Amino acid sequence: MTTKRPHLPDDDDRGFAFDRAGVVRRQAIADAMVGHSLSRVRYILLEYAEGAVGDHTGLRSVTDPAELHEPAWKFEGFHNVDFGIEFELDDGAAFFATWDMPWPDSLRLARGDMSTWTGASWDVTDVPPWNLLTKTPIANFELHYEPWDSEGGFWFRDMTLIAGSTVITIDGADADGDGRMMPSATNLAVTFLTLDSKT
């Protein structure tokens, strides 16, 4: 998070909210996913290889066995996604999570898909923990906001999704040179845990 408050018009397509009413409107987007299971989840990663972005427009589906064998997003204890996560629900509705643009001070959850974006598309629907959410409806999806500064406004810190005994948190974080999670304004980190039904 930067220290300067963004001076742009309030926009419900952004993660940053200028007042509590804006927070409520953004939470309503997450609430629309509650009660549904997921039919597809995709990680969208930026293409850093020389010429990769210029070689295509739109999303490149990752299908090469060598690339699939060593996922670029997989780290010990978390998944690192540097562009966005796309969710498709059982009724066909689409949503996506990313970091806020044009200023990267908040996360963002929005309606719609990422089909017109440019990047590498990884289908992780069958990858734990997402595979559990294809069978279990989302019970709760909470966006966590905090006050920005004395001038007002609220920044979108992280989000928590609960389905059955699975808890998934999406933070603004990246992997450092040693593969450990560290705070970041332009990356997403997915962490998850399974609640013990006996506790």
Side-chain angles (χ1 to χ4, degrees), residues 2-14:
T2 61
T3 57
K4 185 176 180 181
R5 182 178 187 270
H7 292 286
L8 292 173
D10 196 5
D11 182 348
D12 283 351
D13 285 337
R14 300 287 166 222

Side-chain angles (χ1 to χ4, degrees), residues 99-174:
W99 41 273
D100 222 356
M101 293 177 277
W103 68 92
D105 297 309
S106 287
L107 300 185
R108 176 188 175 202
L109 180 70
R111 299 175 187 271
D113 60 38
M114 301 180 73
S115 59
T116 61
W117 298 42
T118 297
S121 172
W122 295 74
D123 191 327
V124 294
T125 309
D126 295 327
V127 175
W130 300 113
N131 61 329
L132 301 176
L133 276 69
T134 62
K135 306 175 183 67
T136 306
I138 298 168
N140 187 57
F141 195 176
E142 186 173 353
L143 312 185
H144 301 129
Y145 275 83
E146 291 187 357
W148 180 261
D149 58 17
S150 60
E151 296 182 37
F154 299 85
W155 67 284
F156 184 178
R157 185 193 71 207
D158 60 54
M159 60 191 93
T160 303
L161 187 157
I162 301 175
S165 60
T166 303
V167 180
I168 299 174
T169 300
I170 302 173
D171 288 288
D174 194 2

